[in-house]
Amino acid sequence: MIEELADRIWGHPEFHARRSDLGGAWLQRELNLPATLSVSEADLVRCVQAATVLACCEVPERQGAAFGIAASAADLGLTDLPGLAGVLRVVLTRLGNFPALASASGVDAFRRLPTLAAVAEEERRDGNRVDLAGVQVELTDFQRDLWRELTSGSNVSISAPTSAGKSFVLQAYLRGLARTGKLSAACYLVPSRALIAQVTDAIAKWRLGDGLRDFQIVNVPLAAETPLPERAIYVMTQERLQATLGAHPEFAADVIIADEAQGLADGVRGVLLQDVIDRLIVKRPKAQVVFAGPNIRDPGVFATVFGLDDLRHVRTRSPAVLQNLIVVNTRSPLRKLVVERVAPDGRQALGEVEVGRSLPSVKERLIRVAERFGRSKPSIVYANRPSDAELVALGLAEVSPDDASEDPRISELVELVKLSVHERYDLAKCLTQRVGFHYGRIPALVRRGVEAAFADGDIKFLVTTSTLIQGVNFPAANLFVCNPKRGQTAPLAPSEFWNLAGRAGRLGREFQGNVFLIDYDEWDSRPADQGNEIDVQSALANTLSGNMSAVVDCALEANPQRETDAAVDIEAALSRLLNDLGSGRLGTTLDRCGVAQSDRERILAALEVARGRIALPAAVLGKSPTVSPVRQQRLADYLEAELKGGGRRRLEELLPRHPRDPLAYRNLCEVFRVCHEQLMSLPPSRIHLRMAAIAVKWMCGEPLPAIIDENVRRSPDQPIASVIRNTLKDIEEDIRFRYFRLAICYLAVLGHVLAATGNEKYVRTLPALPSYLEVGASDPTMVSFVGLGLSRVVARVLTERAADKDMDEARALAWLQSQDLDAVLGSGLMRADVDRALTNAGAA
């Protein structure tokens, strides 16, 4: 009966016309445009009545229409039609979207429903109510279904829109396991350091509230000499987990969560993600495995990739928050902004706005359109590169009327920026006008400060790069994009665009968000015209299906050529296959990748040739699973020849020193040179000298402003903004990623060669170079502070204060608890960083 009525409504053109007018009228009011789209009370009532029927449907498109009607009607009609609040409450209840009730106070507060409607709501609400640590929480239908599958102990793949509340349920599930003592170790994999910080903070809050002081949060690689905690949640990128697995081969997890699991398709990082998850599953086959991603078309892909026969799928396409697509054309010869809404039946004209000037560049268009339509609510502006983000933010600051220089919170954040990065960093200037920018290279404490200020409304505009696509959670009311790319040239894929668009609108705070597509008809691609579902294929399977000949050639090649981005992907695949050949799992991997029999014979023959040239044991090769075993063997042969022919002097040159050793720079130059030559096949250059100089300063804990000033001195002709940005890139992308990866490989191979050549005693002297490169510290006390969760800048300040520079984490924690931190730290943001670390450590 209800379905027949829904069919009649959906098939009526008049319904779609009135529905379109309702959405357009709401947007005209929202954007302060002349109200040319009028909606009568009668039309409003009819639309809402239709929504009560469509809300009962199972079709996502119809559910979305019902939600859209409710979202627009809530703002347009509540004051004039008091009974409307009750009807909208019924719509949201039938959609099972109880968190959205809080988005409109009139709807949430309405209590005069008819008896039958009230009883139906309570029954529906009771079915979506779960107990989270003694607190009754009402979930959406999707969240309820996910909760049921998780608590049944099933392996789960999750596919839902960006704003559906996946992370909330996943973390609540871990909380329940921890509270009931059913969890000893969980691994929560995320794609970026920024997400590590967000997930860590969220877990730390409930950990403290629940008094789980014996439950640790680990988010940095654990060195071999650091014992694994008895009970812990490991929040890590795949690189950090790889380092931990290399140092602790016995590590295993009861629960494995891969958030943003579409990263499985991301080249060498995708191969590494697959490898670490596979290793964890092999170690503990009964572990619960969870994959979460935005709108993955086939959630069953993870069952194929990882050989999981019992993977349950939880998916939804129904919106928890509605995203409006708004096209803004800046090309009018009359110098006007022409605004249109992307409606279900095509473009709908909303109005025109005088702009009074031409806008020839993407930067100018982003600035002027965002300034006109985004000032009243929190707004994110997407920029392609860090340099673009800085320029757009500077432009917004220039046209901004908000002077926040006297705001204590902003002033404190500005001082932190100057201390953590540089006194001439453009972010400090932008913040005084309530404008910020955000990208992955910015130090963690500054990023956190900017994110918190934006979330609290102290920053009006936040200009961000593709870090937003990687799952960083700071949704806003508005999002502005103009011909978006990843970096400088590659247009965003439709899946990336929709993941980005999902940041507009905040569940529980707004019914809908606005995505402004600036000059959309001139974009290099039209991602909004395509579906929002993501096709995921593992990077390993993709490489083997599209580049099998290259993998075979790579295996047969005795002397690999220069390492390029494409070669890294090929060699990562080769490394994985060789490791599987040695462990007897090659057939399983080829089966899961769908490799044809003819290709199997080719690759097996090539792998046998490669294996015949490789003498390194699997335990050594496995510590660097994305570095070609052929390259690792070449490095081993080189080191063995050098040690045998060069005597003690050559031995000492090849041994990396502790960063504070007077010979640290000289030896690190040689280590980097050897890595460039043997592992990367780079031609001779002086780049290893520059990178070694930066790396030693970084590992010694020198402040970032001092490192930048040194680079300014060496590059006097470069603009200061470029030097700062390039230095951040050197550290975040090179030192903490590329050279971190090379150092792991170098030390593993060197340790083996030392033992094989009778120099075992030197193995114990090898410094923990990868850890030092990752954390930016080498004094035990500073390393311990960072290990406790402190940012590097705060850890450095506290280390300077502490008399004992050799404290382990337990002593460092006791020292922190004994200090008058208000006297030690002048900045409230720094003090908050310590409080956060104490909370994470269970000591608050």
Side-chain angles (χ1 to χ4, degrees), residues 501-703:
R503 308 300 167 182
R506 299 163 293 182
L507 181 61
R509 297 180 66 174
E510 290 142 352
F511 283 118
Q512 50 194 327
N514 302 318
V515 183
F516 293 84
L517 313 177
I518 302 172
D519 294 322
Y520 179 69
D521 297 325
E522 298 179 8
W523 288 15
D524 294 342
S525 64
R526 306 284 192 279
D529 295 352
Q530 302 179 49
N532 62 355
E533 292 191 318
I534 300 174
D535 289 312
V536 175
Q537 182 181 26
S538 79
L540 179 61
N542 189 51
T543 298
L544 295 181
S545 63
N547 294 285
M548 178 62 81
S549 295
V551 176
V552 170
D553 291 344
C554 184
L556 295 174
E557 191 174 34
N559 188 27
Q561 301 303 304
R562 178 175 179 174
E563 186 182 77
T564 63
D565 289 344
V568 167
D569 292 347
I570 298 297
E571 293 185 2
L574 172 62
S575 178
R576 170 62 193 263
L577 296 182
L578 275 169
N579 286 334
D580 286 343
L581 177 64
S583 64
R585 291 176 50 84
L586 180 62
T588 299
T589 298
L590 296 179
D591 285 343
R592 293 175 183 175
C593 292
V595 177
Q597 184 61 38
S598 57
D599 283 334
R600 287 170 183 251
E601 294 171 359
R602 292 173 60 208
I603 191 62
L604 179 59
L607 290 174
E608 291 292 359
V609 171
R611 184 163 68 169
R613 293 199 303 263
I614 296 170
L616 286 171
V620 174
L621 296 172
K623 291 184 178 181
S624 303
T626 61
V627 178
S628 163
V630 178
R631 292 185 188 274
Q632 292 191 54
Q633 185 62 52
R634 185 171 67 177
L635 173 62
D637 293 342
Y638 172 84
L639 292 175
E640 185 171 352
E642 291 293 293
L643 292 182
K644 288 180 178 178
R648 182 182 178 89
R649 180 175 180 179
R650 185 58 178 149
L651 169 64
E652 293 184 353
E653 290 174 346
L654 293 169
L655 292 173
R657 303 295 183 99
H658 188 279
R660 292 205 177 276
D661 189 295
L663 297 178
Y665 171 68
R666 185 200 70 179
N667 283 39
L668 194 61
C669 286
E670 181 62 6
V671 169
F672 283 1
R673 186 197 67 78
V674 171
C675 287
H676 286 183
E677 178 185 278
Q678 300 300 323
L679 293 178
M680 301 178 73
S681 302
L682 295 179
S685 71
R686 297 177 60 83
I687 187 66
H688 62 286
L689 304 178
R690 177 174 174 273
M691 298 311 301
I694 295 174
V696 169
K697 292 177 184 295
W698 173 252
M699 291 188 292
C700 284
E702 289 196 23

